[in-house]
Structure formats: structure tokens, C-alpha cells
Amino acid sequence: GHLETDHNITSLTLTGSMDARDFKFISTSLRNIETLDLSAVTIQAYENLSAPVFGNEYSYAASVVPTMALAGMPQLTTVTLPHSATSLGSAALAACPSLSPVTMSDALVNVGEYAFSACTSLENVTLPASLATVGQGAFSRCTRLATVGVAASGAPAQELTIGDEAFLDCQALTQVNLGDNLTAIGNSAFAGTALTVLDLTQYKNLKSIGDWAYTLSQVTSATFPASLNHLGKGAFIYNQRLNSASLPAGLDHVGDFTFAFGDILCT
């Protein structure tokens, strides 16, 4: 059966199975929800080729929080995602202006593109150690986001890739710790953030930093791990406060304008 409940409730805990239609009911009919606990929910696959549920999406995989599933919920403050969820779809919780905090599952492998974009109350994010991909723009324009970390785990952490624009214009972001297995930082991933002293030497497996990755940020100094072999064009362009950068000997590629328009000493 499908979800049926009081349309005015503010707190909801669900168990059992859900599919895309149930998420649609929550996001359209339960607009007053403040606290949503889906931790015990199993997400089932759903497909209807004649009627999309969200946007133009006709088919939904099991264990994936659907595209736009809870986007734009005005009162949603606290969310616990299903423990069995392996992926968050595109814009799954985007533009929820009250959301903070969110609890992600230990099984989560992928945070889809723009999943939490413009969640303007989100202040702290803890990513599970299981995570392999933070998608394009996933946390972009989360203007109060101050800290990002990876949860401690007894299991080996995944290799982690941070997508393009993942934290773009997170203007309050000052603390980032992405664990031991960060391998790549995408284009414009941390552009427009408030990061200051950038010490990437802890990331022993970091191989690539994309174009414009830290442009227009507050970085004053930057140091990089020996593993780094690609530093994209304009990565630190318009960093007016950047005065020193220590580059590793093994760099194969340093892009054009990497440190342009700043007072910079490279060693």
C-alpha cells in the first residue's frame, strides 16, 4: 500500500518499503513536515513508462533516493535517510531552506548532482566513509555550510572523488576534512569558499585538482601532497590573499593562470 496520513503533520517516521510515488506524496502533500526519519525504510524500484513521477523520470532504481524526491520542502529541518540507501538522486533534497541536520547512511556510495544545493540552513555535513562520489554541485550555494568531514569507520574507506562545483559558493565554509582516500577534486569544487590555510598534504592519494578549483576563495597558503600530478588552470586565480604555495616535484601538469592575479610565491 501507499502512504496515507494527515496532511498537516510535522513529524513522520516510516518503516517498511517505499518507492518514488511515496516520496512524491510526501513532497507534494506533506508540506508541513519538519522531521523525517526514513532510517528503517527500504526503497523499492518503480517504473511507469507512461507517467513520470518526478520531472521526466519514468524509471527509479532500488536503494536510490529518487531525483528531486524531497526538493523544495519549506519546513523540512531534520532528515535521517534510509540506512540501506546507496545513492541520492539528482537534486534529491535541493532547495530545502530549513534543512539542518541530515544523517546519511553508512551504505551511501554516491551523492548525486545538486543533491543538497541551496540548502541555506545546512551548517555541518558528515559524509559516510562508504562514499565514493560527491556529484556536481552537490552542496553548491549552501551559504551557511561551515564544516565538512568524513565519518570515522572501522571499514576501509572508499576512494573519494569530489565533483565539479561540489561546494561552489559555500561562502561560510572554513573547515574541510575529506578522509584518507580523496583522489580527485573537480573543477570549481571549492570556488568562492572561506577556506584559508589549505593543507592538502594529508591526502596521500590526491592526484588531481581541477580548473578554477579554489578561485575567489580566501586561501592564504597552500601545500600539496607528493601524489598530486595535475593542477588545473586557474585553480587559485583571483586569490588575493594567497602568498605562498609549495608545489610537489611530481606535477605533470600545471594549468594556465593557476595563480594569476594574486601576490604569490611558489616553491
Side-chain angles (χ1 to χ4, degrees):
H2 298 299
L3 186 61
E4 294 181 14
T5 189
D6 177 0
H7 289 206
N8 295 313
I9 63 171
T10 58
S11 181
L12 181 63
T13 298
L14 295 176
T15 60
S17 298
M18 291 177 63
D19 64 33
R21 294 167 294 180
D22 299 309
F23 282 101
K24 183 72 169 181
F25 177 82
I26 292 172
S27 64
T28 58
S29 298
L30 304 182
R31 303 290 289 171
N32 294 318
I33 287 285
E34 297 173 7
T35 301
L36 183 60
D37 185 349
L38 303 178
S39 56
V41 162
T42 300
I43 302 172
Q44 294 184 327
Y46 176 74
E47 182 175 81
N48 184 339
L49 298 180
S50 63
V53 181
F54 292 100
N56 60 356
E57 295 278 336
Y58 295 82
S59 182
Y60 300 86
S63 302
V64 176
V65 177
T67 295
M68 298 180 65
L70 299 169
M73 297 276 293
Q75 308 299 328
L76 189 60
T77 301
T78 302
V79 171
T80 305
L81 293 170
H83 288 326
S84 59
T86 58
S87 184
L88 300 181
S90 300
L93 291 107
C96 289
S98 304
L99 184 61
S100 185
V102 60
T103 302
M104 301 183 210
S105 78
D106 291 338
L108 200 66
V109 175
N110 173 61
V111 173
E113 59 183 17
Y114 306 105
F116 295 96
S117 183
C119 287
T120 50
S121 291
L122 196 59
E123 295 182 359
N124 307 292
V125 165
T126 301
L127 303 172
S130 56
L131 202 63
T133 307
V134 175
Q136 178 173 348
F139 295 94
S140 59
R141 299 181 177 87
C142 289
T143 49
R144 292 187 191 174
L145 183 60
T147 67
V148 176
V150 173
S153 173
Q158 289 270 16
E159 287 192 353
L160 177 62
T161 298
I162 303 298
D164 297 346
E165 302 177 0
F167 296 94
L168 175 71
D169 289 341
C170 291
Q171 59 197 38
L173 186 59
T174 57
Q175 296 182 48
V176 175
N177 186 341
L178 295 170
D180 295 333
N181 288 309
L182 177 66
T183 60
I185 293 171
N187 301 333
S188 302
F190 293 97
T193 60
L195 296 170
T196 53
V197 177
L198 188 67
D199 182 1
L200 301 179
T201 57
Q202 63 179 306
Y203 304 124
K204 307 298 186 186
N205 299 297
L206 179 61
K207 298 176 177 63
S208 175
I209 295 175
D211 301 342
W212 326 111
Y214 292 92
T215 186
L216 290 171
S217 65
Q218 304 299 310
V219 173
T220 57
S221 65
T223 52
F224 306 96
S227 56
L228 190 71
N229 56 40
H230 178 99
L231 185 57
K233 65 183 177 184
F236 291 89
I237 197 170
Y238 296 115
N239 277 232
Q240 301 292 344
R241 299 184 181 186
L242 182 61
N243 54 49
S244 68
S246 180
L247 301 176
L251 271 175
D252 295 330
H253 174 86
V254 178
D256 296 338
F257 312 114
T258 296
F259 297 100
F261 309 109
D263 183 13
I264 175 70
L265 173 66
C266 293
T267 58

